[in-house]
mmCIF file of all heavy atoms in Angstrom:
data_model
loop_
_atom_site.group_PDB
_atom_site.id
_atom_site.type_symbol
_atom_site.label_atom_id
_atom_site.label_comp_id
_atom_site.label_asym_id
_atom_site.label_seq_id
_atom_site.Cartn_x
_atom_site.Cartn_y
_atom_site.Cartn_z
ATOM 1 N N ASN A 323 67.245 60.621 58.409
ATOM 2 C CA ASN A 323 66.565 61.845 58.056
ATOM 3 C C ASN A 323 67.520 62.887 57.317
ATOM 4 O O ASN A 323 67.506 64.073 57.600
ATOM 5 C CB ASN A 323 66.179 62.553 59.394
ATOM 6 C CG ASN A 323 64.693 62.380 59.588
ATOM 7 O OD1 ASN A 323 63.989 62.380 58.578
ATOM 8 N ND2 ASN A 323 64.300 62.283 60.848
ATOM 9 N N ASP A 324 68.352 62.355 56.434
ATOM 10 C CA ASP A 324 69.181 63.264 55.661
ATOM 11 C C ASP A 324 68.347 63.983 54.572
ATOM 12 O O ASP A 324 67.668 63.254 53.881
ATOM 13 C CB ASP A 324 70.289 62.399 55.008
ATOM 14 C CG ASP A 324 71.419 63.335 54.400
ATOM 15 O OD1 ASP A 324 71.257 63.804 53.261
ATOM 16 O OD2 ASP A 324 72.460 63.603 55.082
ATOM 17 N N PRO A 325 68.452 65.274 54.435
ATOM 18 C CA PRO A 325 67.641 66.009 53.443
ATOM 19 C C PRO A 325 67.884 65.528 51.987
ATOM 20 O O PRO A 325 67.003 65.710 51.139
ATOM 21 C CB PRO A 325 68.036 67.427 53.645
ATOM 22 C CG PRO A 325 69.235 67.458 54.459
ATOM 23 C CD PRO A 325 69.254 66.199 55.238
ATOM 24 N N ARG A 326 69.025 64.957 51.764
ATOM 25 C CA ARG A 326 69.317 64.485 50.406
ATOM 26 C C ARG A 326 68.779 63.053 50.082
ATOM 27 O O ARG A 326 68.798 62.662 48.959
ATOM 28 C CB ARG A 326 70.861 64.535 50.149
ATOM 29 C CG ARG A 326 71.534 65.879 50.192
ATOM 30 C CD ARG A 326 72.987 65.763 50.480
ATOM 31 N NE ARG A 326 73.242 65.332 51.882
ATOM 32 C CZ ARG A 326 74.492 65.307 52.364
ATOM 33 N NH1 ARG A 326 75.474 65.660 51.668
ATOM 34 N NH2 ARG A 326 74.671 64.824 53.619
ATOM 35 N N LEU A 327 68.316 62.470 51.072
ATOM 36 C CA LEU A 327 67.805 61.112 50.993
ATOM 37 C C LEU A 327 66.317 61.203 50.519
ATOM 38 O O LEU A 327 65.501 61.642 51.290
ATOM 39 C CB LEU A 327 67.971 60.320 52.224
ATOM 40 C CG LEU A 327 67.417 58.928 52.349
ATOM 41 C CD1 LEU A 327 68.124 57.978 51.362
ATOM 42 C CD2 LEU A 327 67.554 58.327 53.701
ATOM 43 N N THR A 328 66.043 60.704 49.294
ATOM 44 C CA THR A 328 64.584 60.905 48.794
ATOM 45 C C THR A 328 63.841 59.610 49.021
ATOM 46 O O THR A 328 62.542 59.770 49.158
ATOM 47 C CB THR A 328 64.648 61.237 47.314
ATOM 48 O OG1 THR A 328 65.323 60.173 46.581
ATOM 49 C CG2 THR A 328 65.310 62.581 47.001
ATOM 50 N N GLU A 329 64.444 58.447 49.030
ATOM 51 C CA GLU A 329 63.527 57.229 49.104
ATOM 52 C C GLU A 329 64.495 56.105 49.507
ATOM 53 O O GLU A 329 65.659 55.979 49.165
ATOM 54 C CB GLU A 329 62.909 56.871 47.787
ATOM 55 C CG GLU A 329 61.852 55.831 47.923
ATOM 56 C CD GLU A 329 61.294 55.398 46.545
ATOM 57 O OE1 GLU A 329 61.840 55.752 45.507
ATOM 58 O OE2 GLU A 329 60.299 54.634 46.556
ATOM 59 N N VAL A 330 63.918 55.214 50.399
ATOM 60 C CA VAL A 330 64.512 53.892 50.660
ATOM 61 C C VAL A 330 63.627 52.839 50.179
ATOM 62 O O VAL A 330 62.414 52.781 50.492
ATOM 63 C CB VAL A 330 64.772 53.682 52.248
ATOM 64 C CG1 VAL A 330 65.336 52.390 52.476
ATOM 65 C CG2 VAL A 330 65.604 54.842 52.771
ATOM 66 N N ARG A 331 64.125 51.979 49.290
ATOM 67 C CA ARG A 331 63.351 50.968 48.628
ATOM 68 C C ARG A 331 64.151 49.651 48.483
ATOM 69 O O ARG A 331 65.281 49.618 48.665
ATOM 70 C CB ARG A 331 62.772 51.479 47.336
ATOM 71 C CG ARG A 331 63.838 51.881 46.346
ATOM 72 C CD ARG A 331 63.342 52.392 44.972
ATOM 73 N NE ARG A 331 64.446 52.739 44.130
ATOM 74 C CZ ARG A 331 64.682 53.940 43.704
ATOM 75 N NH1 ARG A 331 64.003 54.949 44.071
ATOM 76 N NH2 ARG A 331 65.744 54.138 42.930
ATOM 77 N N GLY A 332 63.341 48.650 48.059
ATOM 78 C CA GLY A 332 63.926 47.280 47.849
ATOM 79 C C GLY A 332 63.107 46.216 48.523
ATOM 80 O O GLY A 332 61.917 46.367 48.736
ATOM 81 N N MET A 333 63.718 45.085 48.619
ATOM 82 C CA MET A 333 63.085 43.992 49.169
ATOM 83 C C MET A 333 64.104 43.008 49.769
ATOM 84 O O MET A 333 65.210 42.939 49.264
ATOM 85 C CB MET A 333 62.379 43.173 48.016
ATOM 86 C CG MET A 333 61.179 42.531 48.294
ATOM 87 S SD MET A 333 60.628 41.541 46.854
ATOM 88 C CE MET A 333 59.362 42.631 46.191
ATOM 89 N N GLY A 334 63.820 42.559 51.017
ATOM 90 C CA GLY A 334 64.769 41.698 51.628
ATOM 91 C C GLY A 334 66.027 42.437 51.888
ATOM 92 O O GLY A 334 66.004 43.658 52.298
ATOM 93 N N LEU A 335 67.217 41.840 51.649
ATOM 94 C CA LEU A 335 68.518 42.568 51.838
ATOM 95 C C LEU A 335 69.079 42.951 50.410
ATOM 96 O O LEU A 335 70.257 42.885 50.244
ATOM 97 C CB LEU A 335 69.484 41.628 52.532
ATOM 98 C CG LEU A 335 69.116 41.522 54.029
ATOM 99 C CD1 LEU A 335 69.953 40.518 54.830
ATOM 100 C CD2 LEU A 335 69.239 42.883 54.820
ATOM 101 N N MET A 336 68.194 43.442 49.632
ATOM 102 C CA MET A 336 68.598 44.148 48.359
ATOM 103 C C MET A 336 67.880 45.585 48.566
ATOM 104 O O MET A 336 66.769 45.811 48.189
ATOM 105 C CB MET A 336 68.013 43.460 47.162
ATOM 106 C CG MET A 336 68.382 44.023 45.821
ATOM 107 S SD MET A 336 67.959 42.774 44.613
ATOM 108 C CE MET A 336 68.283 43.732 43.219
#
Side-chain angles (χ1 to χ4, degrees):
N323 258 330
D324 191 279
R326 294 160 293 187
L327 178 61
T328 56
E329 192 185 9
V330 176
R331 57 180 180 248
M333 216 185 257
L335 285 173
M336 184 165 172

